[in-house]
Amino acid sequence: MSNPCYASSFTRRGIGVKHLFWAFVLALAVTVFGFWPTTVGAFGPPDAIRIVHGLFAVGWMVLLIVQSWLIGHRQNRTHRWIGWTSLILAPGLVISALVVVLTSQGAVSHFPPDLLLILDWIDLWSLFLFSVLYVAGILARRTMSLHSRWLGSTVFVALIPALGRAYGMNIEAIGGLRGSLHPSYWTVEVILIALIVRDALKHGGFKARYLTPYAVTLAGLLAMEWTMFMAPHWQWFADFTGLISGT
């Protein structure tokens, strides 16, 4: 799933692709930091489906780390072979997350009903955005500048819930999980804007092959952030979540 010229071309441009995997290592560390207390703390241990979802999520992050390391070290053939595991990990992550959403309304929740609707709205649209980014990345596998950016952008979708928990549980003044939602989105949006600007500066303007993946991700996250607090006021959405969860 890679272009043999990818590693050498990026090295010539000075992007430092050999060290790119550290960005995904950092993202995994943030994810573990954010979710660990809910796994072993007052809210844990999680049920079986949440454990399965967590394993798929960690597996996806590890795949991004391994794939970026391999392509950065010109292990193109191994990168291609390992890339096929995404056909298991990505659907597994999406399906397990969807089951978590479907069961959240019927289970005993630690969240008030309005916050649960907000989180369900975020989760459902996050799954849609993740799926769009993944499919686009696979379709663009022969154009590495797009392939790497589409698939790499999936990490930003996963970071939102991790940052929300990390901020909410460690910054008392932020007001818990509800108060952490906007700052979580702002953090990721600033990174995406910085990446867009970086590519524009490096490549002499805004070019579709570099701009599109980040722009789609940013637009999707902005749309989610703009609508998330409206969700509890939409009776149709409350009815919909009740219908799909069987409650």
Side-chain angles (χ1 to χ4, degrees), residues 132-184:
V132 168
L133 297 175
Y134 173 71
V135 171
I138 295 302
L139 293 176
R141 62 188 180 275
R142 298 189 183 280
T143 306
M144 190 52 64
S145 57
L146 284 172
H147 174 71
S148 59
R149 285 168 173 79
W150 282 120
L151 293 184
S153 292
T154 61
V155 77
F156 297 116
V157 181
L159 275 176
I160 296 295
L163 288 170
R165 285 161 175 78
Y167 290 160
M169 289 185 291
N170 294 282
I171 305 176
E172 186 175 350
I174 212 168
L177 182 58
R178 187 190 302 269
S180 72
L181 292 176
H182 277 306
S184 300

Side-chain angles (χ1 to χ4, degrees), residues 70-90:
L70 287 171
I71 206 67
H73 290 77
R74 305 188 184 186
Q75 303 296 315
N76 302 326
R77 180 174 297 179
T78 305
H79 174 87
R80 285 194 297 271
W81 279 107
I82 292 180
W84 292 110
T85 63
S86 73
L87 297 177
I88 297 173
L89 288 174

